[in-house]
Every structure is written in C-alpha cells, then in structure tokens.
Amino acid sequence: DAGVIQSPRHEVTEMGQEVTLRCKPISGHDYLFWYRQTMMRGLELLIYFNNNVPIDDSGMPEDRFSAKMPNASFSTLKIQPSEPRDSAVYFCASSQGTSGYTFGSGTRLTVV
Amino acid sequence: GENVEQHPSTLSVQEGDSAVIKCTYSDSASNYFPWYKQELGKRPQLIIDIRSNVGEKKDQRIAVTLNKTAKHFSLHITETQPEDSAVYFCAASKNSGYSTLTFGKGTMLLVSP
C-alpha cells in the first residue's frame, strides 16, 4: 500500500485565493482526519470522517474552511478565501478502527 | 474535552544516555495512548502505543509506561542514538482508538554524538 497520499506537497498562494488540499486514505481505512500543524499550536484536529460522513468539524477555525469526502478514497480540504494566518502544514491521516493513525506527508501551505 | 500536557518541550542528551518524556491527560475515560516520532520535514509516525489494560510495553530500545491512577504516561528511550533525534508527540484517545487523538505539544529530542 502506498500509504496516505496528499497533494500538493507545497502550495504558495496569495491572500484571498482559494486553496484546495487533497487526500487519498489507505484503502480499507474507515476514519479520515484532517490536522493542522503550527509551531505555536502543535497538531490541531480540524475535522474527521467515519465511513465518509463528517463526524466532528468543531475544530474548523472559520467558515472559510470546508471539507468533503465524496467517497472512501478521496477527501478535500478547501480554504476560501485564504489568509496569511492559514499558513501551516496540513496533515491528512487515516485509520481503521482501533489502529493508530497513519499520516500523509502533509501539505505545506504558505499564504502571502 | 481531553487535554494532554507533555514535558519537557526540549531534551538534549548524549549518545548512549536514556531519555524520558512525560505526558499527563485529563479525561479518565481515555484508554489508548500512542506515541509518534516526527523527523524534520516529515510526517508523524507511530512508534509505540499502549492501552489502559496494561501498565508497560516494550519494543527494543523504547518502552512506554502508564499510570491510570495518576493519569500519566511516559516514553523511555534507552541507549539513544543520533537518529533518535526528532520531535516526539504523545496522544490520548477514548473508545480504544475509535475516536480522535488529542496530541501533546511535542518534545524535541536532540541526541549529540
């Protein structure tokens, strides 16, 4: 298995632009998580899905953030409009029940 | 919700020494405690985990201990090597893992040759 696949690896965008981050979980994993990592706040859970259904989005910072999981093999995290304070590394992770998370390689987002 | 505190934030040791990282959690219902290692610029990777029905678990040079009464758990690395240098995160979860992980802020471990 190729693991959790995220794209793009790096994204530099101008303030106000729309940004879409993509994630392909490990086949057979029924949980998918989106985390944001910054030096100041560490790893923060943004939203998670179980069997493609959003379970808890209380960590999504603002209405500018949205996430979807149209099928078991694909999820997106969208920021519209983006702001400089959104700059961070965004990780997608998946798991199967009681197994530990497997993280993707992350997307380093820079908003200028 | 759950709150996980991790100490120290940085730890410097000489190669061959032992390193200990400690975490406390707030929710007594938490019963799954994984540890992740994140090398610079890379993804966090699971290195060991422990469930609340055991007090200690070992895997070669690493071990985790859990004290449910005190609500704290620790990572022990013996005979440290330069390649152990990384940021280590503890985490806690309820429902034996069928739930989200709450992470500590991380410990940067530096092992000097």
Side-chain angles (χ1 to χ4, degrees):
Chain A
D1 198 319
V4 177
I5 300 172
Q6 289 186 248
S7 64
R9 289 296 305 274
H10 302 275
E11 177 80 36
V12 180
T13 190
E14 292 185 347
M15 183 173 62
Q17 295 298 305
E18 178 179 294
V19 175
T20 299
L21 311 181
R22 297 173 176 81
C23 176
K24 176 179 168 57
I26 292 173
S27 177
H29 280 193
D30 52 355
Y31 284 81
L32 183 140
F33 306 86
W34 283 100
Y35 278 83
R36 177 171 67 177
Q37 186 176 38
T38 61
M39 288 294 293
M40 291 299 295
R41 301 173 71 90
L43 279 162
E44 299 176 278
L45 177 67
L46 300 177
I47 186 172
Y48 81 98
F49 297 83
N50 178 217
N51 292 322
N52 314 337
V53 176
I55 303 301
D56 184 355
D57 66 354
S58 60
M60 297 285 260
E62 302 171 30
D63 291 345
R64 299 185 296 106
F65 286 69
S66 62
K68 294 181 180 179
M69 192 166 185
N71 56 62
S73 59
F74 184 65
S75 178
T76 60
L77 177 67
K78 186 176 294 186
I79 308 172
Q80 165 64 17
S82 58
E83 296 182 3
R85 60 192 166 123
D86 301 330
S87 298
V89 179
Y90 290 81
F91 284 104
C92 174
S94 70
S95 73
Q96 183 179 35
T98 60
S99 67
Y101 290 8
T102 299
F103 282 86
S105 297
T107 295
R108 181 174 295 277
L109 174 64
T110 303
V111 183
V112 298
Chain B
E2 175 65 277
N3 183 48
V4 177
E5 299 283 340
Q6 183 171 348
H7 300 280
S9 56
T10 59
L11 178 59
S12 294
V13 300
Q14 292 290 120
E15 182 177 1
D17 288 349
S18 295
V20 180
I21 302 170
K22 299 181 179 181
C23 290
T24 60
Y25 60 98
S26 60
D27 191 339
S28 57
S30 289
N31 54 16
Y32 175 65
F33 307 94
W35 287 87
Y36 286 80
K37 175 183 180 182
Q38 185 177 26
E39 297 177 355
L40 187 62
K42 298 191 175 181
R43 74 189 76 187
Q45 291 193 291
L46 178 68
I47 55 172
I48 195 167
D49 57 13
I50 190 168
R51 300 183 190 275
S52 60
N53 57 345
V54 297
E56 184 175 1
K57 183 176 180 180
K58 288 184 179 180
D59 183 3
Q60 299 182 346
R61 295 186 297 108
I62 60 174
V64 290
T65 58
L66 171 64
N67 183 327
K68 287 188 294 182
T69 302
K71 291 190 284 188
H72 67 70
F73 56 112
S74 301
L75 177 70
H76 304 253
I77 306 174
T78 58
E79 300 173 23
T80 55
Q81 301 167 2
E83 52 265 38
D84 294 330
S85 296
V87 178
Y88 291 80
F89 293 93
C90 64
S93 167
K94 295 186 286 190
N95 301 324
S96 299
Y98 281 103
S99 183
T100 59
L101 290 174
T102 300
F103 286 88
K105 288 289 197 299
T107 296
M108 179 176 291
L109 174 65
L110 300 173
V111 181
S112 303

